[in-house]
Amino acid sequence: MGQGSTAVTPAAVAGVAERDRPGMGERLTEALERSWRPVVLLVACFAAWWVVSAAHLVEPYLVPSPGTTLRVMGDKAGYIWHHSWVTTYETLLGFVIAVVVGIFAAVIMVYSATVERTLYPVLLFAQVVPKIAIAPLFVVWLGFGITPKIVVAVLIAFFPVVISMVTGLKAVDPEMIQLSATMGAKPLQTFAKIRFPASLPHLFSGLKVAVTLAVTGAVVGEFVGANQGLGYVILQANGNLDTPMLFAGLLIMSLIGVVLFVLVEIAEKLLLPWHASRRGEAVTTSY
């Protein structure tokens, strides 16, 4: 090495990485900086809701006050919890089935042009058909149990998973595929080591859409025929003109969707720390 140059040792690199790693306090500060804007917006929405109800701009039987809605949620917490759990269970089961079947269908479509040309129009047709229009058929065919709700949730959540997975699998650099084949990798090895990992960013984008749609699908199925679940609660409250309970059901349904979305996003951060979006996020928060 020339005069005046400094040797870079692994210990020195590790020391620099350790110093650059944000501490617990810095991570907490960054989390607060990222979350204060949606919190402020949420508080503003509740404040506007309170002003509208307190000023009697709308009749209470049309728009109950936030206090009345929260009081109903507290007084009937057990009742709401039971029906919320039913909807959550239907949502999760439908979402998992949609993910498994969607990934399997996407892989087949990518590896077989014939299957893609045959299956893609059918998937598009199934997505265009309003699920609320065909949900009664599932009730007639499958009864009033949990199965029709899960089927509707699967049908609604299935399409984003398939499209995102197909896009991700096709977005892989062809030169990487050719390189793996040149090095003697089998198709299954190429899929496991190159195609599938590279498709995960696209897949997670579809999963975040699909998990919120699965909530909608479960509730739509409950609208058609059910004796439990948040869709049942909302229908009962609407029929009885019980707007506080109706608003409570809507709030809980929205909360379930937000929580599931956040869980998928956390899984994406844990599984894809190497992705460019995560590196860009880290650079942005450092300024």
Side-chain angles (χ1 to χ4, degrees), residues 165-176:
M165 189 62 180
V166 168
T167 303
L169 292 174
K170 288 185 174 181
V172 180
D173 189 351
E175 293 182 358
M176 293 292 294

Side-chain angles (χ1 to χ4, degrees), residues 77-91 222 228-231 233 248-249 251-253 256:
Y79 173 80
I80 293 176
W81 168 257
H82 168 72
H83 291 284
S84 300
W85 166 246
V86 171
T87 300
T88 304
Y89 176 75
E90 295 168 351
T91 299
E222 293 167 353
Q228 54 184 347
L230 289 176
V233 170
L251 287 176
I252 297 298
M253 185 180 70
I256 291 173

Side-chain angles (χ1 to χ4, degrees), residues 197-198 200-202 205 268 271-281:
L200 286 179
H202 295 272
S205 298
E268 180 185 17
L271 294 174
L272 305 178
W274 47 267
H275 193 244
S277 63
R278 299 301 164 201
R279 297 198 301 270
E281 180 180 287

Side-chain angles (χ1 to χ4, degrees), residues 46-57:
F46 269 89
W49 181 12
W50 179 82
V51 169
V52 169
S53 60
H56 300 289
L57 300 177

